[in-house]
Amino acid sequence: NTDKLIAFVLEAENMMFEHPYHNRRHVADVVAGMYVFTLPGGCLYDLVHSSPLAMLSVVFAATIHDLQHTGVNNNFLSKTLHPLAIRHSDKSVNESHHLSSAFDLLGQDDYNFMENVEREDLITFRSLVIEMVMATDMKSHFSILDSFKMFQKARQEDPKSVKILTEMRNVF
């Protein structure tokens, strides 16, 4: 439902706070950058070119990856016993909040552009989005980067031996 998709994106933009970095301009930059990765030659092309659901997941995750960001890092939230840290048990506090805010919004009838999607596809979509947004937690940055480098190396050495969807899931 295109109207509900547009309504979702506009409301998500309205839900962003004005911080020097984690703001709507940052989100626009990330969405544009992620889109470039999905073009031929981009590192996500093989993942999305045959799967509209994967493409939607990538763009959606980029759109909501900092939804209602507090402007401070997870460690600060935990150390100050912020209500979000309490709610999310000190585990990827910001990322968990971004996801719950986005899926709460998506659950509202006016914004549920996924209402006619098969349940299995919705579960796959949620899983992909959750993996991608949780991967933005800087605590896991270096392990993800190492996995991605190994994936890229294997892909360059023998492209036919690498199952793209499986390997991309291993990266995230």
Side-chain angles (χ1 to χ4, degrees):
N1 184 321
T2 306
D3 291 337
K4 289 186 180 186
L5 173 62
I6 291 168
F8 179 94
V9 171
L10 291 173
E11 185 60 22
E13 181 182 14
N14 290 335
M15 291 170 65
M16 291 298 298
F17 301 134
E18 277 305 316
H19 297 295
Y21 183 73
H22 295 103
N23 54 44
R24 50 181 58 88
R25 286 174 300 285
H26 166 68
V27 170
D29 287 343
V30 171
V31 170
M34 292 303 290
Y35 175 72
V36 169
F37 291 148
T38 68
L39 298 175
C43 60
L44 295 175
Y45 177 75
D46 291 332
L47 174 69
V48 302
H49 87 278
S50 62
S51 173
L53 187 63
M55 180 65 177
L56 178 61
S57 300
V58 166
V59 175
F60 184 86
T63 301
I64 61 103
H65 84 280
D66 274 338
L67 187 60
Q68 293 191 322
H69 199 289
T70 60
V72 296
N73 66 28
N74 290 334
N75 191 44
F76 180 86
L77 293 171
S78 295
K79 297 276 189 218
T80 60
L81 300 176
H82 189 281
L84 290 176
I86 303 300
R87 176 176 297 134
H88 299 295
S89 303
D90 296 331
K91 304 289 184 206
S92 300
V93 177
N94 276 311
E95 295 75 19
S96 295
H97 180 63
H98 308 323
L99 287 161
S100 64
S101 297
F103 285 116
D104 283 348
L105 182 61
L106 188 61
Q108 296 175 36
D109 186 55
D110 289 345
Y111 307 107
N112 189 357
F113 62 89
M114 302 287 287
E115 64 191 349
N116 296 320
V117 173
E118 296 285 329
R119 183 171 179 78
E120 186 176 316
D121 286 342
L122 184 58
I123 290 169
T124 299
F125 169 78
R126 264 184 54 84
S127 176
L128 287 169
V129 170
I130 290 168
E131 288 179 50
M132 287 184 264
V133 173
M134 293 304 276
T136 67
D137 185 345
M138 290 307 293
K139 194 175 237 183
S140 53
H141 173 76
F142 291 105
S143 65
I144 291 170
L145 186 59
D146 289 344
S147 296
F148 186 73
K149 286 177 181 177
M150 289 187 327
F151 161 72
Q152 287 292 78
K153 184 178 179 189
R155 186 173 172 218
Q156 288 171 350
E157 289 174 0
D158 188 4
K160 294 191 187 325
S161 71
V162 177
K163 292 187 178 181
I164 300 300
L165 280 175
T166 303
E167 291 302 320
M168 286 306 289
R169 282 188 179 268
N170 289 338
V171 167
F172 295 113

